[in-house]
Amino acid sequence: MSTWGILTDITKCIGCESCVAACKEINKTGKDRPWRWQQNIDSLSATRWTTIIKKPGHHFVRQQCRHCVSPACVSVCPVGALQKTVEGPVIYDVSRCIGCRYCMMSCPFGIPRYTWDTPTPSVSKCVMCYEKIKSGEIQQPACTKACPTHATIFGDREALIAEAHDRIRKDPGKYIDRVWGEHEVGGTSVLYVSDINLDFLSWDKDLPKDALPGMVFNVLEKVPKIFLGMGAFMYGFYWIIERRERLSEKKKGESDRSDLSDKPDGEKKQ
Amino acid sequence: MKKSLKKLVRSLLDVAFNSSYHSTPRVRTVKGILWFLAGLGAAVAAVRMVRGLGATTNLTDLTPWGLWIGFDVVGGVALAAGGFVIAATVYIFHLHRYHPIARPAVLTAFLGYGAVIVGLIFDLGRWWDIWHPVVYWQDHSALFEVAWCVMLYFTVLALEFAPTVFEKMPYPKIYRALKAITLPLIILGIMLSTLHQSSLGTLFLIMPFRIYPLWYSSLLPWLFFISAIGLGLAMVILESLVSSWVYQKDEDTGLLSGLAKACAAVLGIYMAIRLGDLAYHGKLIYLTKPVWETTDFVIEACLSVIIPLVLFAIPKVRQSKAGLFIGSASAVTGVVLNRINVSGIATISATKTHYFPAWTEFAISIGIVAAAALVFFFFVEHFSVYGQEQETNEGAAAGDTTLPAPEPGLNVSVQSAGIRATVLYSLIFVLSLSIGIYFMPGRDRELRTTPVQPPETITAVKVSEQGRALYGLLPAGLDDAGTPDVRRTDLRALLLVNHNGRFVIFDHAAHQVMAERLYAAMKEQRLLTDAAGTDTTAFSNGNTWIEKLSTTTLDAITGPSNNGMQHAGENSGSCELCHHMNYPFNQATSCRTCHRDMYLTTDIFNHDFHIAKLGNNQACVKCHKDPNAVKSMQTAAPCTSCHRFMIARNSLIKLQAHPLERPAAGYKDAMHGLCRNCHERMAALYPKRYRDLALCATCHQVNNPDYLKGLPQYPHPEKAGAGPKNMAEHEAGAGTPRLAGRTTWFRPAVGQLPSGTEAQVR
């Protein structure tokens, strides 16, 4: 399996929240409690890494970390607490985290959550059961395994994209002809096919196809140039003005003979 | 060695007790206020460290950055830009007349960055790991770059400012060495400042979806850098004016007006680029939108650029202290507001939530500024920050300062005055510390539940008694230490109705008996098709099967039930009557599926029974007391005249006007009577807090909540005729459209609670 992925079929979801329960059990997140910093108790939280959003007309949309192919959260983390694994999942290392919450600000889907109630807080989000699958403890994430209707399935991302297009082709009247997660912000490992528009899962209605980190790299790659350029520029300015001042001093000195040195001259060591 | 130590101690004492400024009432007042604010901040800081961010901020998962990042960090770095701007002016561009303000500017920058780091420690969730960027390198993160730049520049600023300290210390070699590296330090400082002032803008480039279009721009790094230069100049002006006011000395407004001119030019360029960028991307249209962001933008633009630009453009105003003060204060406020907007306020609307800083957040931000100001005053008073720089420091240790050394006699009084002031400030600090701790939000702040608690939740505790399983029912909130046998009851079943975390006590055994009879009757009437008795189609359509049962069958089975388990094997299919009728959300079959009449007005009054009981023909007058009146329900004596204890004691239902004179209300009316009065009263009393309490949708959550939310408030006294006047009219379909078909099922009002949140069986 090259890269892991999860495909969720909104038309198959019955909203039973078995995935939520399975996730809570395997990750030992504990009970949901009503906190001030949470709009609804059944929305994503530090204790609820995946949830079901109920939409009118018996539509149930599972919300979870999208595990972007080029994740914004990983690119912004100043200490590498969030890492993109070669398999696909974006994982979190609390021992590195400094708690700046930049990942939460940068996520285009608004996924990462925080344990606000403790003095030793951490970020929490779905990690696609990465450690447990790697260690061979389980074969697939707890959520996909728990799903009674196979509305959410685990597999190879490329194969899942093919499967998604296959489903749409076989039943074009049922689905909207779009695989959410195939192209948005450079693609995500978690994909959706649906009969309702799922754009509400992100802050912005239409996400760009380009990966977000590129917007910053364009600027950051100029940093060394600007740094050295500014240094050279400033020294150049200093040298020119200094020289001009010294020459005029000299001229003045030649005529006056008596010369009180100006302060910067005294400070400068050459 | 010993000698040099003695020398150091002497010079330190010298610095500590020889203030270059006399303590005037004005200085004392200003310092007292600052100490008070610092104390308040310290109190909040202590609580923040112990209890965490949730207890001391209004931040949420959707608005994770707030005032502390906006003001303390992003704003603080920009406020401290004066250091590199003035250093460049004086040392690179050789504008020597600004030399006197170079030291205060560097000191302000140094303290500003110190404040940024302290502020960051409070804001970082895992602040003890603040050093991690040093070891874990992430060159693709803008924040990593900012962290390194701030770290390095803080060091550079410390070295830039160090000569001021060392000229009073007995280490001439260090002083000379520091002086020697001034130029490289200045250039390095400018290089680092350029990077991180702009990189703070780069931080926000990755959030094009969060930040409101009026603030988001691909030029954010440029805008941040340019506005930081303007802000740095404004801050130097402001700080010079304030400290000369505090110490009542004359200010060279000529010098400051030069800075003001430059400041206005830079801010003008900044706004031109910003508006040009908005125009280029076609975003100027957003300025016409009637949303609060537009107002915010206009206020920010006025404060940060327009007011300073207008004031500083007039030479006469520029020369006056008042003009300089208003202009620079406005610029400082405006640009800092810009930073707060970009890093917090302008991202709120995208998240569709609210955020306004808690007072505790303000307290820490203001407290840090106050503490930095106190340190600033300390340096001003004890070192020659505003004085002329000394070329040599040979005699410094001996107290040969530029300012006249206090006379020996005066020295004592100065010292005692200093001690008195220290005592005063300590008192103020402790006072504000205790005030802060006293007003700290209590622990319940962390646990404030979302909308409402269900009126009566219970916790069931299993207790065994003589081999029989019994359940003790605890009122919710009573902890494990509470007595479990309060309200002990023989549990028939605790039923988790609709899996919503709310239990009802349900006599399962009695229902089972009834269900078995019902099932047998159905089999008899061949309502169930196949031999196994599992025609699921009969059930899948809600309660069609019960409609098929003849009335006589229903009458036959509702005889006296014999309690106990009579689970006959042949009738085991009866379980399906209530279970295996899964609705979405895995709801159990609702009570209402069988007890459909619970919403109708009941007629529990059995007239025939009463006649027989009271003596046939002679019984009429016992209830219909007035022989001349028409014998009707309305003229009869109230039930309670005979049955005095019809309502259980301590019932939640409080009878008001007419105590049970008429036939009992139906389930719907009873429930409405029980809940609705209070809901309406509370909604009328506290229209803000309980805004939605009187809406139908508060309790009735149908699968289309928008439908019920659209319903008018019941009973709608003001707008007569606009909607249904009462429930009867509403039921009849007046005013609002009714739901078509049987698409509603009622879910109790505690839908916000997840499975097993409040009530739990252990």
Side-chain angles (χ1 to χ4, degrees):
Chain A
M1 192 178 286
S2 51
T3 54
W4 304 353
I6 287 177
L7 172 65
T8 301
D9 189 334
I10 302 308
T11 64
K12 286 189 175 184
C13 182
I14 57 166
C16 67
E17 300 198 343
S18 297
C19 47
V20 180
C23 175
K24 288 171 89 60
E25 197 188 332
I26 198 157
N27 294 305
K28 297 185 180 60
T29 57
K31 268 184 211 161
D32 295 327
R33 297 170 78 180
W35 297 104
R36 175 187 49 72
W37 43 84
Q38 219 177 304
Q39 276 189 299
N40 298 309
I41 190 147
D42 57 353
S43 64
L44 281 187
S45 70
T47 56
R48 196 178 256 253
W49 297 0
T50 180
T51 194
I52 301 281
I53 300 171
K54 288 128 197 161
K55 286 280 160 185
H58 296 251
H59 290 102
F60 308 101
V61 182
R62 181 152 91 97
Q63 192 185 19
Q64 65 171 118
C65 173
R66 300 288 287 268
H67 298 281
C68 304
V69 174
S70 312
C73 56
V74 172
S75 84
V76 300
C77 183
V79 289
L82 287 160
Q83 292 284 355
K84 175 82 179 167
T85 58
V86 281
E87 290 87 356
V90 175
I91 57 167
Y92 172 68
D93 179 2
V94 69
S95 67
R96 281 191 169 203
C97 183
I98 58 171
C100 68
R101 309 186 294 285
Y102 194 9
C103 48
M104 302 173 73
M105 286 296 283
S106 67
C107 179
F109 302 101
I111 295 293
R113 291 295 187 267
Y114 208 59
T115 52
W116 296 99
D117 55 315
T118 147
T120 58
S122 56
V123 171
S124 57
K125 66 166 202 73
C126 160
V127 291
M128 231 196 251
C129 294
Y130 178 76
E131 297 290 335
K132 295 193 175 69
I133 296 176
K134 278 300 262 188
S135 69
E137 191 183 329
I138 47 175
Q139 300 305 310
Q140 58 167 311
C143 52
T144 54
K145 193 173 180 226
C147 185
T149 59
H150 302 291
T152 182
I153 54 173
F154 178 69
D156 177 58
R157 182 172 181 263
E158 297 306 316
L160 287 177
I161 289 175
E163 162 75 19
H165 282 295
D166 208 37
R167 283 188 196 178
I168 294 170
R169 195 168 49 247
K170 277 184 185 152
D171 207 343
K174 189 172 166 191
Y175 294 102
I176 294 175
D177 186 14
R178 178 174 167 191
V179 178
W180 274 267
E182 190 182 2
H183 298 301
E184 289 93 349
V185 290
T188 65
S189 300
V190 174
L191 308 154
Y192 292 91
V193 283
S194 170
D195 52 347
I196 56 166
N197 194 338
L198 297 183
D199 281 343
F200 62 86
L201 286 175
S202 61
W203 293 134
D204 200 64
K205 289 272 181 284
D206 32 80
L207 289 175
K209 283 202 176 7
D210 300 328
L212 293 176
M215 306 175 87
V216 176
F217 295 161
N218 289 342
V219 178
L220 281 185
E221 66 187 14
K222 296 189 186 108
V223 159
K225 280 182 225 159
I226 293 174
F227 185 67
L228 296 175
M230 196 68 186
F233 185 66
M234 280 297 144
Y235 187 77
F237 250 105
Y238 171 80
W239 187 80
I240 292 168
I241 300 172
E242 172 73 16
R243 186 169 166 272
R244 196 182 290 165
E245 237 171 43
R246 205 170 50 226
L247 288 178
S248 69
E249 287 287 329
K250 218 176 184 179
K251 229 180 242 171
K252 230 198 286 174
E254 273 168 4
S255 55
D256 287 6
R257 290 278 151 92
S258 63
D259 163 28
L260 279 164
S261 82
D262 204 50
K263 211 162 293 140
D265 279 348
E267 281 164 15
K268 215 187 102 196
K269 277 256 171 183
Q270 272 186 332
Chain B
M1 187 68 198
K2 211 174 167 188
K3 214 173 171 185
S4 70
L5 197 72
K6 213 169 158 189
K7 235 172 147 186
L8 175 68
V9 171
R10 241 180 80 188
S11 57
L12 281 177
L13 285 175
D14 213 50
V15 164
F17 287 108
N18 282 342
S19 171
S20 351
Y21 292 85
H22 293 294
S23 179
T24 59
R26 184 183 286 179
V27 174
R28 276 200 294 276
T29 314
V30 170
K31 278 195 184 174
I33 293 170
L34 290 175
W35 274 107
F36 182 84
L37 295 173
L40 217 55
V44 178
V47 176
R48 180 255 170 270
M49 288 305 176
V50 175
R51 291 216 216 132
L53 289 167
T56 40
T57 66
N58 273 351
L59 298 174
T60 67
D61 281 327
L62 299 181
T63 53
W65 280 5
L67 181 72
W68 288 352
I69 287 284
F71 177 75
D72 299 12
V73 180
V74 184
V77 168
L79 279 172
F84 89 92
V85 176
I86 298 297
T89 312
V90 173
Y91 292 98
I92 303 297
F93 299 104
H94 292 71
L95 298 171
H96 299 305
R97 68 191 188 105
Y98 293 110
H99 205 270
I101 52 170
R103 266 193 178 184
V106 169
L107 177 60
T108 314
F110 175 64
L111 294 176
Y113 277 85
V116 165
I117 291 167
V118 172
L120 198 58
I121 283 175
F122 292 126
D123 186 76
L124 286 183
R126 306 175 72 83
W127 51 273
W128 56 92
D129 283 338
I130 193 172
W131 51 273
H132 273 185
V134 181
V135 287
Y136 301 121
W137 282 52
Q138 299 294 321
D139 55 358
H140 48 63
S141 167
L143 191 59
F144 170 76
E145 192 219 307
V146 171
W148 263 97
C149 279
V150 168
M151 223 152 46
L152 292 176
Y153 187 49
F154 188 58
T155 318
V156 166
L157 279 170
L159 291 173
E160 276 181 29
F161 183 68
T164 314
V165 177
F166 274 94
E167 72 189 7
K168 290 224 170 181
M169 297 290 145
Y171 301 113
K173 271 186 189 161
I174 298 179
Y175 177 79
R176 277 195 219 105
L178 285 170
K179 282 304 237 183
I181 54 166
T182 303
L183 181 67
L185 279 181
I186 298 287
I187 292 182
L188 185 62
I190 295 167
M191 290 157 80
L192 290 168
S193 292
T194 312
L195 279 200
H196 70 257
Q197 293 288 359
S198 56
S199 287
L200 280 174
T202 317
L203 282 189
F204 300 98
L205 284 184
I206 203 156
M207 314 172 193
F209 321 119
R210 280 185 87 102
I211 299 176
Y212 194 73
L214 282 176
W215 281 275
Y216 185 81
S217 158
S218 52
L219 295 180
L220 268 177
W222 282 98
L223 293 173
F224 265 49
F225 180 64
I226 297 168
S227 58
I229 295 176
L231 176 61
L233 290 166
M235 191 61 195
V236 169
I237 299 170
L238 188 65
E239 163 227 286
S240 299
L241 287 170
V242 168
S243 60
S244 65
W245 176 79
V246 169
Y247 292 114
Q248 284 156 307
K249 42 172 197 168
D250 281 332
E251 189 54 60
D252 184 2
T253 47
L255 201 64
L256 296 183
S257 73
L259 292 178
K261 215 164 129 187
C263 173
V266 173
L267 289 176
I269 294 169
Y270 157 70
M271 193 41 87
I273 294 179
R274 196 160 168 204
L275 290 178
D277 179 61
L278 287 179
Y280 178 78
H281 287 102
K283 285 184 190 167
L284 283 177
I285 191 83
Y286 283 97
L287 283 174
T288 60
K289 292 199 174 178
V291 287
W292 61 267
E293 276 98 346
T294 314
T295 322
D296 191 11
F297 182 87
V298 171
I299 290 172
E300 187 203 302
C302 284
L303 284 175
S304 64
V305 179
I306 294 167
I307 293 174
L309 201 64
V310 169
L311 288 179
F312 292 164
I314 308 164
K316 209 173 172 187
V317 178
R318 200 162 68 212
Q319 301 284 351
S320 75
K321 274 189 182 179
L324 280 170
F325 179 80
I326 296 170
S328 59
S330 160
V332 167
T333 320
V335 181
V336 169
L337 180 62
N338 169 261
R339 299 301 195 265
I340 299 175
N341 277 335
V342 171
S343 55
I345 295 175
T347 71
I348 292 174
S349 62
T351 65
K352 299 183 186 73
T353 52
H354 312 286
Y355 165 75
F356 190 79
W359 75 265
T360 42
E361 288 176 72
F362 284 112
I364 282 209
S365 294
I366 295 168
I368 292 172
V369 173
L374 283 171
V375 180
F376 183 85
F377 289 145
F378 173 83
F379 276 112
V380 167
E381 286 175 14
H382 296 275
F383 297 92
S384 56
V385 171
Y386 278 103
Q388 201 61 25
E389 258 181 81
Q390 293 157 310
E391 281 308 310
T392 56
N393 69 333
E394 291 298 324
D400 184 20
T401 51
T402 45
L403 290 142
E407 293 163 39
L410 193 73
N411 209 1
V412 181
S413 69
V414 166
Q415 278 187 29
S416 64
I419 289 165
R420 249 185 287 138
T422 312
V423 169
L424 175 73
Y425 301 147
S426 310
L427 265 176
I428 290 173
F429 184 77
V430 171
L431 181 75
S432 68
L433 197 72
S434 35
I435 290 176
I437 287 172
Y438 180 77
F439 284 107
M440 203 59 64
R443 255 198 184 284
D444 62 322
R445 180 188 163 78
E446 300 168 42
L447 287 166
R448 192 177 299 158
T449 50
T450 342
V452 277
Q453 284 274 11
E456 196 183 24
T457 24
I458 49 165
T459 306
V461 182
K462 195 175 181 180
V463 282
S464 237
E465 207 169 72
Q466 294 154 9
R468 232 155 51 105
L470 286 180
Y471 290 84
L473 300 181
L474 294 175
L478 214 66
D479 58 358
D480 299 342
T483 44
D485 53 353
V486 189
R487 301 176 56 197
R488 178 180 295 181
T489 172
D490 184 5
L491 181 89
R492 285 85 183 270
L494 274 180
L495 196 68
L496 182 56
V497 181
N498 290 345
H499 290 227
N500 59 6
R502 211 169 155 188
F503 290 85
V504 293
I505 299 170
F506 175 74
D507 192 340
H508 188 262
H511 277 81
Q512 202 179 358
V513 171
M514 205 64 76
E516 277 165 17
R517 287 187 193 168
L518 194 59
Y519 186 79
M522 287 161 74
K523 252 166 85 174
E524 216 171 272
Q525 290 194 11
R526 294 171 187 274
L527 289 171
L528 304 167
T529 49
D530 59 341
T534 49
D535 184 1
T536 45
T537 54
F539 304 130
S540 62
N541 202 11
N543 46 14
T544 48
W545 54 270
I546 208 163
E547 284 164 359
K548 287 184 195 169
L549 277 175
S550 65
T551 330
T552 46
T553 324
L554 278 171
D555 286 344
I557 59 172
T558 46
S561 69
N562 42 349
N563 286 319
M565 303 293 279
Q566 286 188 348
H567 200 64
E570 56 182 295
N571 287 338
S572 60
S574 59
C575 302
E576 290 166 16
L577 290 186
C578 296
H579 304 285
H580 301 290
M581 290 181 61
N582 284 342
Y583 291 122
F585 305 110
N586 196 19
Q587 286 174 315
T589 306
S590 118
C591 308
R592 183 175 155 270
T593 308
C594 297
H595 303 276
R596 297 179 73 214
D597 55 351
M598 67 201 279
Y599 290 96
L600 306 172
T601 305
T602 53
D603 188 5
I604 57 165
F605 182 74
N606 192 336
H607 197 245
D608 292 340
F609 175 78
H610 277 80
I611 290 171
K613 181 93 177 172
L614 296 175
N616 297 324
N617 286 345
Q618 293 147 37
C620 302
V621 286
K622 287 186 178 163
C623 293
H624 302 282
K625 298 208 162 155
D626 185 357
N628 298 320
V630 182
K631 289 182 178 53
S632 74
M633 202 199 291
Q634 277 71 31
T635 57
C639 309
T640 43
S641 62
C642 299
H643 307 282
R644 283 195 289 155
F645 302 111
M646 279 182 76
I647 296 274
R649 279 175 200 178
N650 303 325
S651 165
L652 273 172
I653 306 167
K654 296 279 180 280
L655 293 174
Q656 283 158 2
H658 308 285
L660 274 193
E661 290 178 280
R662 311 280 162 254
Y667 176 78
K668 186 184 82 186
D669 293 335
M671 285 298 132
H672 277 167
L674 183 63
C675 316
R676 222 189 54 220
N677 294 337
C678 186
H679 277 214
E680 279 163 6
R681 202 170 59 244
M682 295 309 270
L685 269 176
Y686 307 104
K688 270 190 186 154
R689 200 190 310 166
Y690 300 118
R691 194 163 43 98
D692 297 328
L693 201 65
L695 296 182
C696 303
T698 305
C699 301
H700 300 289
Q701 299 191 350
V702 288
N703 57 349
N704 181 8
D706 295 336
Y707 164 74
L708 279 175
K709 272 181 190 159
L711 289 182
Q713 198 165 329
Y714 182 85
H716 226 270
E718 297 94 355
K719 286 189 236 166
K725 277 198 198 77
N726 51 37
M727 194 50 92
E729 259 185 43
H730 163 64
E731 292 276 296
T736 43
R738 299 203 61 190
L739 281 177
R742 194 185 163 277
T743 48
T744 70
W745 54 81
F746 288 88
R747 303 180 68 209
V750 284
Q752 292 86 354
L753 297 170
S755 316
T757 313
E758 288 299 333
Q760 44 189 292
V761 180
R762 274 174 279 180

